[in-house]
Amino acid sequence: MELEGKVSLVTGASRGIGRAIALKLASLGAMVAVNYVEIEPSNRDDAGEVVQSIVDAGGKAMPVEADIRNSDAVKAMVEQVAEKWGRIDILVNNAGINKDTLLLRMSDDDWDAVIETNLKGAFLCTKHAVRHMMKQQWGRVISISSVVGRVGNAGQCNYAASKGGIIAFTKSVAREMGSRNITVNAIAPGFIVTDMTNRLPQETRDGLLSLIPLARLGQPEDVAELVAFLASEKAGYITGQVITIDGGAFP
Ligand code: NAP
């Protein structure tokens, strides 16, 4: 139980990679605040299912609703977690969206929605959560970027900019927080099987598979294992890093 007594907040934990991260952290003894957002269609039931799975397995979890684009909502969510469990040790900036199209077809709204959710959302959650970590002189901030933020991708300039922004944000905040014993790292997954990638046409998925030396698509649990390591004491001397987890596609 490497994370016994630690308090964690995972954004976008109702499904996909966030769900796997929440279950993994809880299995290692962490208390987990499972964030979801009340935008239609609501995924409150999915978040409730994640919480119930953790509680059924003997862990501690609670659902916390907040739209991570909204500063007041994020602040209230962080305070809710700190009031319930007295501290916040681990923040996982996982929530994210994509609205893919080529540059010349991209609307201003598609650009703004992706940057606001993926990049501003990570900024807001980090800003409010690190206040608690600074008082504790211990903390872990782990943000889910993407290989697309490292190498770019046609049809995803908004998403790539948001994920590249997370990398630069991570490196900067790591420099600010090092003296407080807070590590700040990013993970750059490749192709992971979730709702986000299930929407891609089969031929695109086959094409991506041909790029992967390990010859399989990633699973949410692959990413969750890496998050758990970065959240642990064992990773205490790692900060400001971007760790790629993509089956070897983009070394
Ligand atoms: P997903 O299955 O589509 O899940 C996205 C999650 O983000 C959902 O829980 C969703 O909540 C939440 N979310 C969206 N907008 C939100 C907002 N405004 N406030 C709070 N939560 C919000 O996606 P995924 O594939 O698991 O991706 C998780 C993260 O990994 C994302 O940042 C994604 O960019 C990144 N990533 C994914 C892949 C991949 O291949 N799948 C690769 C690289 C990086 P609701 O359920 O309430 O809508």
XYZ file of all heavy atoms in Angstrom, residues 11-18 35-39 41-44 46 66-69 93-98 117-118 144-147 159 163 187-197 199, ligand 1:
408
model
N -8.773 14.404 -12.283
C -9.801 15.056 -13.108
C -10.212 14.125 -14.249
O -9.416 13.315 -14.738
C -9.310 16.405 -13.669
O -8.238 16.192 -14.598
C -8.855 17.330 -12.553
N -11.487 14.253 -14.654
C -11.992 13.406 -15.736
C -11.859 11.935 -15.405
O -11.425 11.130 -16.229
N -12.273 11.574 -14.180
C -12.059 10.196 -13.717
C -13.292 9.319 -13.910
O -13.347 8.196 -13.421
C -11.639 10.203 -12.247
N -14.288 9.816 -14.637
C -15.525 9.049 -14.819
C -15.358 7.902 -15.806
O -16.139 6.959 -15.802
C -16.636 9.982 -15.307
O -16.204 10.708 -16.448
N -14.335 8.011 -16.666
C -14.154 6.948 -17.676
C -12.730 6.997 -18.228
O -11.941 7.867 -17.870
C -15.180 7.093 -18.805
C -15.206 8.447 -19.462
C -16.536 8.708 -20.170
N -16.666 10.105 -20.530
C -16.355 10.603 -21.712
N -15.914 9.820 -22.659
N -16.497 11.885 -21.960
N -12.433 6.038 -19.115
C -11.159 6.044 -19.830
C -9.929 5.978 -18.939
O -9.890 5.253 -17.940
N -8.928 6.760 -19.302
C -7.642 6.739 -18.589
C -7.822 7.222 -17.146
O -7.246 6.650 -16.211
C -6.610 7.604 -19.352
C -6.303 6.982 -20.735
C -5.325 7.754 -18.544
C -5.470 7.866 -21.659
N -8.644 8.263 -16.950
C -8.857 8.798 -15.598
C -9.456 7.770 -14.664
O -9.080 7.675 -13.487
N -13.239 13.284 -10.091
C -13.878 14.450 -10.731
C -14.638 14.048 -11.993
O -14.199 13.189 -12.758
C -12.803 15.497 -11.084
C -13.293 16.517 -12.096
O -12.870 16.496 -13.245
N -14.202 17.381 -11.709
N -15.792 14.686 -12.153
C -16.569 14.562 -13.396
C -17.220 15.910 -13.634
O -17.144 16.817 -12.784
C -17.631 13.453 -13.281
C -18.746 13.798 -12.338
C -19.968 14.245 -12.808
C -18.548 13.717 -10.952
C -20.988 14.599 -11.941
C -19.565 14.072 -10.081
C -20.771 14.508 -10.577
O -21.773 14.880 -9.715
N -17.858 16.085 -14.796
C -18.456 17.374 -15.118
C -19.918 17.188 -15.518
O -20.254 16.222 -16.202
C -17.647 18.099 -16.220
C -17.583 17.305 -17.501
C -18.187 19.494 -16.486
N -20.746 18.134 -15.047
C -22.185 18.084 -15.374
C -22.450 18.812 -16.682
O -23.010 19.902 -16.680
C -23.003 18.730 -14.252
C -23.149 17.882 -13.012
C -24.161 16.758 -13.160
O -24.782 16.641 -14.228
O -24.297 15.982 -12.214
N -21.944 18.260 -17.795
C -22.316 18.792 -19.107
C -23.105 17.672 -19.769
O -22.728 16.511 -19.660
C -21.075 19.118 -19.970
C -20.140 20.102 -19.252
C -21.480 19.690 -21.316
C -18.841 20.378 -19.989
N -24.264 14.928 -22.338
C -24.918 14.035 -21.399
C -24.063 13.871 -20.138
O -22.861 13.676 -20.228
C -25.003 12.714 -22.184
C -23.833 12.766 -23.119
C -23.613 14.204 -23.448
N -24.709 13.945 -18.975
C -23.982 13.883 -17.708
C -23.376 12.494 -17.479
O -23.990 11.484 -17.784
C -24.937 14.191 -16.562
O -24.332 13.837 -15.347
N -22.160 12.487 -16.934
C -21.532 11.210 -16.602
C -21.450 10.999 -15.098
O -20.547 10.345 -14.611
C -20.152 11.122 -17.256
C -20.278 10.744 -18.714
O -21.033 9.846 -19.060
N -19.588 11.440 -19.583
N -22.438 11.587 -14.387
C -22.462 11.433 -12.931
C -22.535 9.955 -12.552
O -21.876 9.504 -11.620
C -23.669 12.171 -12.349
C -23.649 12.180 -10.840
C -24.970 12.595 -10.257
N -25.440 13.853 -10.811
C -26.611 14.413 -10.495
N -27.395 13.837 -9.631
N -26.998 15.541 -11.052
N -21.416 7.380 -14.207
C -20.119 6.730 -14.430
C -19.156 7.056 -13.289
O -18.436 6.178 -12.795
C -19.511 7.183 -15.761
C -20.300 6.664 -16.948
O -21.057 5.691 -16.775
O -20.157 7.235 -18.046
N -17.014 19.271 -11.114
C -16.493 20.605 -11.471
C -16.149 20.608 -12.950
O -15.589 19.648 -13.463
C -15.252 20.961 -10.660
N -16.500 21.717 -13.587
C -16.025 21.966 -14.943
C -14.649 22.590 -14.797
O -14.522 23.711 -14.269
C -16.995 22.928 -15.649
C -16.606 23.179 -17.089
O -15.436 22.945 -17.450
O -17.486 23.622 -17.858
N -13.623 21.891 -15.253
C -12.262 22.370 -14.971
C -11.911 23.655 -15.726
O -10.869 24.245 -15.474
C -11.190 21.286 -15.251
C -11.247 20.817 -16.707
C -11.313 20.138 -14.266
C -9.971 20.123 -17.158
N -12.795 24.112 -16.609
C -12.549 25.388 -17.301
C -12.925 26.576 -16.427
O -12.609 27.714 -16.758
C -13.378 25.447 -18.603
C -13.023 24.367 -19.591
C -14.015 24.311 -20.728
N -15.353 23.977 -20.266
C -16.406 23.810 -21.049
N -16.291 23.973 -22.347
N -17.582 23.498 -20.546
N -3.887 15.760 -13.531
C -4.597 16.527 -14.557
C -4.807 15.619 -15.761
O -3.941 15.496 -16.629
C -3.763 17.747 -14.974
C -3.727 18.814 -13.919
O -4.762 19.190 -13.365
N -2.536 19.305 -13.612
N -5.965 14.962 -15.767
C -6.240 13.978 -16.821
C -7.324 14.433 -17.797
O -7.264 14.111 -18.979
C -6.649 12.650 -16.173
C -7.290 11.719 -17.176
O -6.608 11.068 -17.972
N -8.622 11.661 -17.176
N -8.325 15.179 -17.311
C -9.480 15.518 -18.162
C -9.025 16.198 -19.451
O -8.143 17.056 -19.434
C -10.436 16.434 -17.402
N -9.623 15.798 -20.548
C -9.248 16.417 -21.821
C -10.245 16.070 -22.904
O -11.002 15.101 -22.795
N -10.254 16.908 -23.934
C -11.136 16.675 -25.082
C -10.343 16.887 -26.370
O -9.252 17.452 -26.353
C -12.357 17.637 -25.086
C -11.890 19.107 -25.177
C -13.228 17.418 -23.867
C -13.017 20.091 -25.492
N -10.908 16.405 -27.476
C -10.355 16.731 -28.790
C -11.483 17.158 -29.720
O -12.619 16.685 -29.585
C -9.567 15.546 -29.367
C -10.444 14.342 -29.627
O -11.346 14.028 -28.858
N -10.194 13.653 -30.705
N -10.152 23.600 -22.081
C -10.299 22.373 -21.283
C -8.934 21.782 -20.959
O -8.603 21.542 -19.791
C -11.140 21.331 -22.055
O -12.379 21.908 -22.427
C -11.383 20.090 -21.206
N -8.127 21.556 -21.980
C -6.897 20.793 -21.776
C -5.791 21.607 -21.091
O -5.077 21.079 -20.237
C -6.366 20.284 -23.117
C -7.342 19.344 -23.801
O -8.441 19.101 -23.311
N -6.958 18.814 -24.947
N -1.560 14.676 -17.864
C -1.581 13.800 -19.035
C -1.505 14.666 -20.295
O -2.466 15.337 -20.667
C -2.842 12.902 -19.064
C -3.020 12.173 -17.719
C -2.730 11.903 -20.222
C -1.907 11.236 -17.309
N -0.334 14.650 -20.903
C -0.122 15.332 -22.188
C -0.435 14.325 -23.284
O -1.413 13.571 -23.198
C 1.325 15.850 -22.246
O 1.627 16.375 -23.495
N 0.389 14.267 -24.317
C 0.177 13.313 -25.424
C 1.433 13.318 -26.292
O 2.130 14.343 -26.374
C -1.020 13.746 -26.267
O -1.052 13.032 -27.486
N 1.689 12.209 -26.993
C 2.796 12.229 -27.969
C 2.549 13.307 -29.024
O 3.490 13.875 -29.576
C 3.015 10.865 -28.669
C 3.657 9.865 -27.742
C 1.746 10.328 -29.282
N -5.432 20.471 -30.441
C -5.099 19.454 -29.424
C -3.582 19.411 -29.178
O -3.115 19.393 -28.029
C -5.614 18.102 -29.917
C -5.458 16.953 -28.950
C -6.321 16.795 -27.872
C -4.451 16.008 -29.134
C -6.179 15.727 -26.999
C -4.310 14.941 -28.263
C -5.173 14.791 -27.197
O -5.026 13.739 -26.331
N -1.543 20.185 -25.725
C -0.707 19.158 -25.076
C 0.760 19.581 -25.027
O 1.486 19.255 -24.086
C -0.877 17.819 -25.797
C -2.294 17.242 -25.687
C -2.690 17.000 -24.252
C -4.040 16.330 -24.093
N -4.375 16.053 -22.701
N 2.969 13.062 -18.587
C 3.005 11.767 -19.267
C 2.483 11.996 -20.677
O 1.466 12.681 -20.868
C 2.127 10.747 -18.517
C 2.766 10.430 -17.157
C 1.923 9.477 -19.345
C 1.933 9.513 -16.278
N 3.183 11.434 -21.657
C 2.754 11.590 -23.051
C 2.349 10.221 -23.603
O 3.184 9.482 -24.146
C 3.886 12.196 -23.876
N 1.057 9.870 -23.476
C 0.622 8.575 -24.022
C 0.532 8.634 -25.544
O 0.303 9.696 -26.136
C -0.773 8.380 -23.418
C -0.928 9.415 -22.352
C -0.027 10.540 -22.752
N 0.689 7.458 -26.138
C 0.425 7.318 -27.567
C -1.039 6.976 -27.763
O -1.920 7.678 -27.275
N -1.299 5.883 -28.446
C -2.677 5.499 -28.766
C -3.203 4.564 -27.680
O -2.776 3.420 -27.566
C -2.685 4.802 -30.132
C -4.053 4.518 -30.659
C -4.618 5.335 -31.621
C -4.777 3.427 -30.212
C -5.890 5.072 -32.115
C -6.043 3.160 -30.696
C -6.598 3.986 -31.660
N -4.144 5.058 -26.866
C -4.705 4.278 -25.754
C -6.190 4.008 -26.059
O -6.909 4.919 -26.486
C -4.585 5.057 -24.415
C -3.157 5.588 -24.204
C -5.048 4.192 -23.244
C -2.067 4.565 -24.048
N -6.625 2.792 -25.827
C -8.005 2.415 -26.174
C -8.996 2.999 -25.157
O -9.062 2.564 -24.004
C -8.152 0.872 -26.211
C -9.586 0.489 -26.557
C -7.186 0.284 -27.218
N -9.734 4.033 -25.579
C -10.780 4.678 -24.754
C -11.859 5.211 -25.699
O -11.738 5.109 -26.922
C -10.224 5.885 -23.962
O -9.875 6.914 -24.892
C -9.017 5.536 -23.113
N -12.879 5.877 -25.118
C -13.925 6.503 -25.943
C -13.309 7.463 -26.956
O -13.778 7.585 -28.085
C -14.905 7.306 -25.076
C -15.754 6.416 -24.192
O -15.751 5.193 -24.433
O -16.402 6.939 -23.272
N -12.252 8.181 -26.517
C -11.638 9.196 -27.377
C -11.102 8.576 -28.666
O -11.261 9.124 -29.748
C -10.502 9.901 -26.613
C -9.919 11.096 -27.336
S -8.642 11.934 -26.375
C -9.605 13.081 -25.403
N -10.471 7.415 -28.557
C -9.864 6.795 -29.737
C -10.821 5.822 -30.430
O -10.652 5.540 -31.617
C -8.563 6.063 -29.346
O -8.813 5.301 -28.166
C -7.450 7.050 -29.077
N -13.611 6.534 -31.377
C -14.338 7.305 -32.392
C -13.592 7.352 -33.725
O -14.146 7.746 -34.732
C -14.556 8.748 -31.896
C -15.574 8.862 -30.778
C -15.964 10.307 -30.535
N -14.878 11.101 -29.980
C -14.711 11.320 -28.676
N -15.556 10.821 -27.791
N -13.708 12.048 -28.245
P -12.165 10.163 -22.547
O -12.446 8.705 -22.421
O -12.833 10.947 -23.632
O -12.439 10.849 -21.141
C -12.267 12.233 -20.982
C -12.558 12.624 -19.561
O -12.393 14.063 -19.446
C -13.973 12.304 -19.148
O -13.949 11.785 -17.833
C -14.664 13.660 -19.177
O -15.692 13.797 -18.212
C -13.515 14.576 -18.770
N -13.793 15.978 -19.123
C -13.959 16.520 -20.349
N -14.197 17.846 -20.250
C -14.177 18.144 -18.925
C -14.347 19.348 -18.176
N -14.594 20.519 -18.766
N -14.270 19.277 -16.818
C -14.025 18.108 -16.189
N -13.850 16.931 -16.854
C -13.926 16.956 -18.199
O -10.615 10.426 -22.754
P -9.324 9.540 -22.450
O -8.905 8.894 -23.710
O -9.502 8.734 -21.211
O -8.270 10.711 -22.191
C -7.849 11.122 -20.905
C -6.682 12.089 -21.088
O -5.623 11.418 -21.766
C -7.037 13.310 -21.947
O -6.369 14.451 -21.450
C -6.492 12.930 -23.307
O -6.190 14.067 -24.076
C -5.239 12.165 -22.909
N -4.718 11.264 -23.924
C -5.494 10.250 -24.415
C -4.941 9.394 -25.389
C -5.714 8.248 -25.964
O -5.208 7.622 -26.914
N -6.889 7.918 -25.461
C -3.639 9.604 -25.848
C -2.898 10.653 -25.325
C -3.443 11.469 -24.349
P -17.215 13.342 -18.499
O -17.192 11.840 -18.503
O -17.945 13.913 -17.335
O -17.564 13.925 -19.845
